[in-house]
Amino acid sequence: MSRSHIVRFVKWKFAVFQCLISVDTILLLAFTNNHSIAKICIKFEFKANFIKKSILIVYGFIFLILLLLFIYSLLKMAYSEEEKKFLKQIGERIRYFRYKVNFSQEELASYSNLHPTYVSSVERGERNIAIINLNKIAKALNIKLSELVEL
């Protein structure tokens, strides 16, 4: 095989396998005493293997994220209908007192030292709020904790 045939063969391999050089090509190039082309092919194969491993890692992370989202959605549905109703009533009470003092959710969150999205989800009844956070909200609204949980 002449050198031009080998170069054409290597170019064909590059096009078909997107720079994934097979071991037989590297051996063929090594026997032609053209070590520089063989080194280039080995570098491309290393890069291709690195890319393959990187893609697998990315797919692994995507799978892990989807699994965690699935688990989160299962945990989110763990409340009974009665418990969901109770959380919604607490949220409605918080919203009622917040409107009464003319606070936005952001202002209430700021005064109670909580995150605005947390306050929003509590008002919608989506969070099982801790008693310490209920106390923070009650203090920010200048009411007693008992008024907040009085249903």
Side-chain angles (χ1 to χ4, degrees), residues 22 24 62 76 139:
S22 63
D24 60 332
I62 291 171
K76 196 173 180 182
K139 283 182 180 180

Side-chain angles (χ1 to χ4, degrees), residues 105 109 114-124 126-127:
Q105 285 182 342
L114 298 170
H115 198 274
T117 57
Y118 180 77
V119 171
S120 173
S121 62
V122 166
E123 283 189 0
R124 291 190 310 268
E126 295 174 353
R127 295 273 185 125

Side-chain angles (χ1 to χ4, degrees), residues 40-52:
I40 291 170
C41 292
I42 291 169
K43 284 181 186 177
F44 276 118
E45 185 172 0
F46 172 76
K47 287 180 182 178
N49 287 333
F50 178 76
I51 290 169
K52 280 194 255 179

Side-chain angles (χ1 to χ4, degrees), residues 62-118:
I62 291 171
F63 175 75
L64 183 63
I65 289 169
L66 291 174
L67 181 65
L68 290 174
L69 287 173
F70 176 71
I71 291 170
Y72 174 74
S73 68
L74 288 178
L75 292 175
K76 196 173 180 182
M77 297 184 294
Y79 300 122
S80 69
E81 290 302 315
E82 185 180 329
E83 292 167 334
K84 288 179 186 178
K85 183 180 174 185
F86 176 75
L87 290 174
K88 200 150 193 83
Q89 288 173 340
I90 294 288
E92 288 170 359
R93 294 284 292 174
I94 292 171
R95 183 177 289 132
Y96 168 77
F97 285 110
R98 181 173 62 80
Y99 284 155
K100 200 171 180 181
V101 294
N102 236 1
F103 278 176
S104 67
Q105 285 182 342
E106 290 81 13
E107 289 171 324
L108 177 60
S110 176
Y111 290 131
S112 59
N113 201 20
L114 298 170
H115 198 274
T117 57
Y118 180 77

